[in-house]
Amino acid sequence: MLTSIRKATDFAVHASFAIIAALVIGFVIYAQSAISARPSKSERDADGIVALTGDGGGRVHEALKLLQEGRAKRLLISGANPQATDRELAIAHDAPENLFDCCVDVGRSAQDTIGNAKETALWAENNDYKSLIIVTADFHMARSLTEIRMELPRTKLIAHPVQTLTAGKNWWRDGRTLRRLGVEYVKVVIANCRRVVDVLDPFDLGGK
């Protein structure tokens, strides 16, 4: 009996260490990826562009720039302030108002990344888009792609990160950067756990 308890305890300790080690390694990989994230020079065009609003400036401006370059047919600004009109958004981002009239859709219902993903999925399905350029902050890209892939598993997603992290190679010495990456990494882990559950629950038995 005591031998069995010891074995179970040893297994629990080793399993705990393994999980902690995996999380630490995962964090380092995630942080390095976020710090070095840049748009690919060979990035392809797509059917649509999606800009996810949130912390870290430049997302909408960069997405509008891609739209004006002809990289896609239309742009969705997801999670915009419900109080801001299209005209106010155009002025705020120094964009021609007629660009908003012809080629920009503004989503105002999303309040978080899960909401962004659902708003993006509805927009893509309504427009029958098979490929999307996703524009969001460097630290936010990993979680955004995970959430959107859960909603649009057959849609090609092209990451276009906007650089917001400026701490460089010694990012772990910058308290503000470390906190931002740490908080976001917890959300990335949770999102990926939800994705695993989603894969293991193909018939939506969990009531997604």
Side-chain angles (χ1 to χ4, degrees):
M1 181 69 175
L2 288 176
T3 302
S4 298
I5 293 173
R6 270 197 214 96
K7 286 182 178 179
T9 302
D10 288 344
F11 175 79
V13 170
H14 289 138
S16 297
F17 276 118
I19 291 171
I20 292 171
L23 288 172
V24 171
I25 293 170
F27 172 67
V28 173
I29 293 172
Y30 157 73
Q32 288 291 132
S33 176
I35 289 289
S36 61
R38 300 291 186 277
S40 171
K41 292 181 180 179
S42 59
E43 185 178 288
R44 297 181 179 180
D45 294 347
D47 294 330
I49 301 168
V50 181
L52 307 184
T53 59
D55 293 338
R59 305 182 191 192
V60 175
H61 180 80
E62 183 68 15
L64 286 166
K65 177 184 170 186
L66 294 176
L67 181 65
Q68 290 175 298
E69 290 174 354
R71 298 288 308 281
K73 303 168 188 174
R74 296 188 69 82
L75 162 66
L76 169 67
I77 300 174
S78 176
N81 185 338
Q83 307 303 320
T85 65
D86 289 6
R87 183 172 184 274
E88 288 170 339
L89 287 170
I91 292 172
H93 296 287
D94 196 27
E97 195 171 342
N98 62 355
L99 184 65
F100 271 68
D101 293 337
C102 81
C103 308
V104 179
D105 298 307
V106 181
R108 295 180 170 87
S109 63
Q111 298 182 352
D112 53 24
T113 307
I114 294 174
N116 288 142
K118 293 183 182 301
E119 200 166 61
T120 297
L122 181 61
W123 180 76
E125 288 165 356
N126 286 342
N127 288 285
D128 196 29
Y129 288 163
K130 305 302 182 186
S131 59
L132 300 172
I133 297 173
I134 306 301
V135 182
T136 190
D138 41 19
F139 66 89
H140 187 236
M141 185 59 75
R143 180 160 60 103
S144 300
L145 294 178
T146 296
E147 294 290 358
I148 295 172
R149 282 186 181 121
M150 280 193 280
E151 298 293 334
L152 294 169
R154 295 178 182 82
T155 301
K156 180 177 177 57
L157 303 181
I158 302 168
H160 189 96
V162 175
Q163 185 180 7
T164 64
L165 302 170
T166 58
K169 294 181 179 179
N170 296 325
W171 52 268
W172 63 88
R173 295 181 180 177
D174 185 279
R176 184 178 178 182
T177 299
L178 191 59
R179 281 192 299 275
R180 166 161 277 183
L181 290 171
V183 170
E184 182 64 20
Y185 179 64
V186 172
K187 296 177 181 180
V188 169
V189 171
I190 293 171
N192 278 283
C193 288
R194 288 178 53 246
R195 190 180 184 191
V196 169
V197 171
D198 190 62
V199 169
L200 296 176
D201 187 15
F203 300 107
D204 199 18
L205 299 179
K208 177 181 171 184

